[in-house]
Amino acid sequence: MHPRKNFKIRQYIASHSILRLTLDFIIVNAVLAMLLAIIIGFVIGDVQNTITYFYHIYTELFGKEPRWTLPDQFMYQNIRAFLATLSLLSPSIFLGIIIYKFFVLSRDNIVFRSKADVFEEGDDRYLNIHFYIASSLRLYNLRFSAFIRTYEKKREDNSEKLYPMNTFPLRLGQDSMYPLPYNYVPSRFRLRFKSPKVNFLKDGVIEVITKERTLRLDSKQGDFCELYIIARGQVPELQARFNEVKRYRLPEDISHEPLPQMCTRFIRDKNRFEVDNWQDFEPEKKRRGWLKSWRAKMRKRLYTKQAK
C-alpha cells in the first residue's frame, strides 16, 4: 500500500525538544500503566484496587524495585515477567532517545531570523537573509543555496498539462559563501529575484516570472509560494558535514520595512566579537514577550483589587 511513510519515529525525535520527548515518555508510561492496571484488576477480580496497581506498575516502569505480589499461578507469573521486561526496556528506550538526540542528530547549527526584509537597489530587488552560527564548534566552508517552491491549486486537475508544483533554483552571490565564518556573529546574504523574478503584489498575491510562463499565486485561493534556504558546511572537529533547511512563507515571512540592524564590535582584549543588541534579532518576539508580561501585570493588579 502507498504512500509508505517511513522513519516517522526518527522524524518525531529529530523535530522535538528533549523536554517534549521527556513529557511524551512520561505520558506513554502513564497510559501503559493504567491499561495494565485495569487488565490486572479485571483478571484478578479486584477492580477496586486499580489505582494501587497503577501506582506500583507506574513506579516499576521507571526502575523502582517491585514491592507488590500476585497470586502464585501460571497466568499471574507471566504478567509479572511481562512487567519485569517492560521495566527493563522502558529506561533503555528513553536513554536511547537521549543518545540519538544528542550524539547522532545535529540540528540548529544555523539560526535564521524568522523574517527576511526586502532591499532595492536601482531596478533590482533583493531579499536579505539574516542568520548566525549558534554552535560552539568551528564550522568551515559554510555555503547557502536557495529555491522557490510554488503550488497552483487551479492545476490540480492537470489542466493544460501543467504540473501544479514547481521548484525554481535561485542564483546567489559571493556573499552566500563563508569559508571561515565566525560563531555567534550576526551575518546576512542577499537573494536577487531576477531569474526567476518574484514580484509581491497587493492582497498577498505573488507573481513568479520565468522564461516559460508567469505564475500568479494567491494564498486565498489555495496557492502557496515558499522560499527554502539550505545551509551546508563542514565540522572538522567531528569529521562530519551538516545540512540544515530554513523555510520562509511568501509573503507572510517577508518584511518590506528594513529589520533592525545588528551592532557587532570586536573586543581586542578578549579576542572575540560582541553584539550589543541581540534583542533586535527577533523584534517581533520581543514585542510579544513584552505584551505577555504586561498582560500578566494587569491580571495581577486586577486580582489584587478584587481581593481588597
Side-chain angles (χ1 to χ4, degrees):
M1 297 294 293
H2 296 281
R4 297 177 182 175
K5 298 181 179 180
N6 299 328
F7 312 120
K8 298 296 289 185
I9 295 179
R10 277 189 274 179
Q11 179 186 4
Y12 187 87
I13 296 173
S15 58
H16 291 81
S17 65
I18 293 294
L19 178 60
R20 174 65 181 275
L21 295 174
T22 302
L23 292 176
D24 291 340
F25 177 73
I26 293 173
I27 293 172
V28 168
N29 276 346
V31 173
L32 182 60
M34 179 57 69
L35 291 176
L36 291 175
I38 293 173
I39 293 173
I40 291 176
F42 275 105
V43 171
I44 298 178
D46 190 11
V47 182
Q48 296 179 352
N49 289 324
T50 300
I51 300 299
T52 303
Y53 293 136
F54 166 76
Y55 170 76
H56 288 301
I57 295 173
Y58 185 71
T59 54
E60 186 174 347
L61 289 177
F62 281 94
K64 183 179 179 181
E65 184 179 353
R67 295 185 178 181
W68 61 295
T69 59
L70 288 173
D72 189 13
Q73 297 181 18
F74 177 76
M75 182 176 62
Y76 301 139
Q77 294 306 316
N78 284 336
I79 294 176
R80 291 291 308 127
F82 178 69
L83 289 176
T85 304
L86 283 182
S87 65
L88 290 175
L89 291 177
S90 179
S92 302
I93 291 174
F94 184 68
L95 179 61
I97 291 175
I98 299 300
I99 293 175
Y100 185 77
K101 186 73 176 177
F102 272 107
F103 300 103
V104 177
L105 295 177
S106 57
R107 298 176 62 249
D108 298 334
N109 292 298
I110 309 297
V111 175
F112 292 89
R113 250 179 175 172
S114 58
K115 283 186 175 291
D117 56 342
V118 177
F119 173 78
E120 294 185 359
E121 189 176 69
D123 296 333
D124 294 329
R125 174 176 289 185
Y126 299 87
L127 199 64
N128 290 324
I129 306 297
H130 306 265
F131 71 95
Y132 70 91
I133 298 175
S135 174
S136 59
L137 298 172
R138 295 294 301 173
L139 307 184
Y140 295 90
N141 294 328
L142 177 61
R143 297 173 180 266
F144 295 94
S145 55
F147 299 87
I148 288 287
R149 191 174 74 164
T150 64
Y151 178 80
E152 297 177 278
K153 184 177 177 58
K154 64 182 180 181
R155 307 293 182 191
E156 286 180 346
D157 59 353
N158 201 25
S159 60
E160 303 178 15
K161 296 182 180 180
L162 294 175
Y163 202 56
M165 291 176 284
N166 293 277
T167 301
F168 307 102
L170 296 175
R171 188 175 300 175
L172 301 182
Q174 292 295 324
D175 62 345
S176 64
M177 295 179 287
Y178 292 79
L180 298 172
Y182 291 100
N183 294 24
Y184 315 116
V185 175
S187 306
R188 66 123 177 97
F189 63 92
R190 286 177 175 169
L191 294 173
R192 186 182 180 187
F193 285 141
K194 184 175 182 180
S195 179
K197 187 175 182 180
V198 179
N199 295 325
F200 300 96
L201 307 180
K202 295 181 179 179
D203 300 327
V205 177
I206 295 179
E207 191 177 60
V208 181
I209 304 175
T210 66
K211 295 180 180 180
E212 292 77 16
R213 63 190 180 100
T214 299
L215 292 76
R216 290 181 63 88
L217 306 166
D218 188 355
S219 58
K220 297 179 181 178
Q221 298 179 1
D223 305 334
F224 70 74
C225 184
E226 298 174 330
L227 170 64
Y228 280 82
I229 306 296
I230 301 176
R232 299 181 177 90
Q234 301 175 357
V235 188
E237 295 173 358
L238 300 179
Q239 292 297 303
R241 297 176 180 268
F242 72 90
N243 297 273
E244 296 184 12
V245 179
K246 171 65 177 178
R247 178 177 68 97
Y248 289 99
R249 300 170 301 163
L250 306 182
E252 292 87 350
D253 296 336
I254 301 301
S255 172
H256 293 277
E257 298 294 331
L259 296 175
Q261 294 186 359
M262 306 299 295
C263 299
T264 306
R265 54 195 175 91
F266 180 69
I267 309 299
R268 186 171 298 276
D269 296 339
K270 299 180 180 179
N271 193 30
R272 69 179 186 185
F273 289 91
E274 289 188 359
V275 180
D276 298 328
N277 56 331
W278 274 117
Q279 67 276 7
D280 291 334
F281 190 80
E282 294 288 5
E284 290 194 353
K285 292 183 178 180
K286 178 187 174 184
R287 285 197 293 268
R288 287 198 297 267
W290 174 85
L291 182 61
K292 187 181 294 184
S293 62
W294 178 81
R295 288 177 178 173
K297 290 180 181 178
M298 294 302 294
R299 290 196 194 99
K300 185 176 181 180
R301 291 180 181 178
L302 179 61
Y303 295 150
T304 303
K305 289 182 180 179
Q306 289 178 353
K308 291 181 178 179

